[in-house]
Amino acid sequence: IFESTTGDDNLEAALFESVLGCVADQYTVDASRVYTWGFSGGAILTAMLASRYPEMIGASYVMSGAWFNDRDTVDNIDTGFLTINFVWDALNPEHEGTVLMTHGGENDNYGDPQFAMGGVGNNGRIMSFEDSAYWAHAHLQNNNRTVIDCAHQNGHTNHPGVSNSAIYDFFKNHRAGKASTYPTDGLPSGLTNVCTLNP
């Protein structure tokens, strides 16, 4: 999930393409209704796929994730003595996109005090998902993405106020290649009390 550029041999991208091809061989698929959804490392993968395949993905739900094509996020990751190249396709502002993201406050981070032995500062914290969400606001909106931001204070866990039915409706309301109706119509009832639009 660290290195992903169009045309490379990224295994996650190959799996994504293979699964879509397999499903399309067996079922009638509405190609504008492919969605990505993940938590933590899965949320980073979700963001990577949304960056790599914006013309295919109708909307994304990123729970405590990060965008490795955002310079602020990458510059604030501390991998200590381990060198990692973070290289993703840039977001293409020509494509419409809608992202619902959750993040859990100052305790929403990835790290462990033992990582300090590997040169990781800040008591072994490699990255803050809360900070990444903050930087993602401008990064996504500057690249023509609609952002639904759902903050909470429960740390690195799912948002307790975002129900599965609200996520189902969120996906149902979006299609690849179509602008979100939320900026004109407002958030649906399942998200109104816990999320903000384009903060």
Side-chain angles (χ1 to χ4, degrees), residues 30-196:
D30 183 342
S32 70
R33 291 196 175 279
V34 175
Y35 306 101
T36 56
W37 176 356
F39 173 72
S40 193
I44 294 172
L45 175 59
T46 288
M48 183 266 279
L49 293 173
S51 299
R52 186 167 176 144
Y53 303 101
E55 73 285 358
M56 297 174 64
I57 294 176
S60 300
Y61 181 24
V62 177
M63 299 178 286
S64 295
W67 301 77
F68 292 160
N69 45 22
D70 172 51
R71 192 76 259 152
D72 288 323
T73 293
V74 171
D75 286 347
N76 285 279
I77 296 173
D78 185 352
T79 56
F81 303 139
L82 183 63
T83 299
I84 296 177
N85 294 319
F86 297 93
V87 182
W88 279 12
D89 290 309
L91 288 176
N92 185 346
E94 293 182 7
H95 289 279
E96 298 285 352
T98 305
V99 178
L100 192 156
M101 62 181 184
T102 66
H103 46 99
E106 65 178 342
N107 293 319
D108 191 0
N109 54 64
Y110 175 66
D112 188 290
Q114 291 185 359
F115 294 162
M117 292 184 293
V120 178
N122 199 15
N123 197 34
R125 189 185 78 180
I126 290 177
M127 71 179 300
S128 166
F129 294 110
E130 179 69 16
D131 290 347
S132 296
Y134 171 78
W135 291 313
H137 292 163
H139 175 61
L140 294 168
Q141 291 176 61
N142 288 341
N143 286 282
N144 200 28
R145 270 54 176 184
T146 299
V147 177
I148 298 95
D149 182 77
C150 311
H152 62 97
Q153 296 298 320
N154 295 307
H156 196 57
T157 186
N158 295 341
H159 194 305
V162 178
S163 68
N164 286 342
S165 62
I167 297 307
Y168 174 79
D169 288 340
F170 163 69
F171 286 143
K172 187 177 174 183
N173 290 334
H174 293 89
R175 302 172 73 105
K178 302 286 185 182
S180 176
T181 60
Y182 289 179
T184 54
D185 298 346
L187 293 176
S189 59
L191 299 175
T192 301
N193 295 328
V194 292
C195 305
T196 55

Side-chain angles (χ1 to χ4, degrees), residues 2-39:
F2 304 129
E3 297 184 33
S4 169
T5 55
T6 302
D8 68 8
D9 58 355
N10 184 283
L11 294 178
E12 300 287 1
L15 177 62
F16 175 75
E17 293 177 8
S18 295
V19 169
L20 284 184
C22 182
V23 171
D25 284 344
Q26 300 176 65
Y27 303 95
T28 301
V29 176
D30 183 342
S32 70
R33 291 196 175 279
V34 175
Y35 306 101
T36 56
W37 176 356
F39 173 72

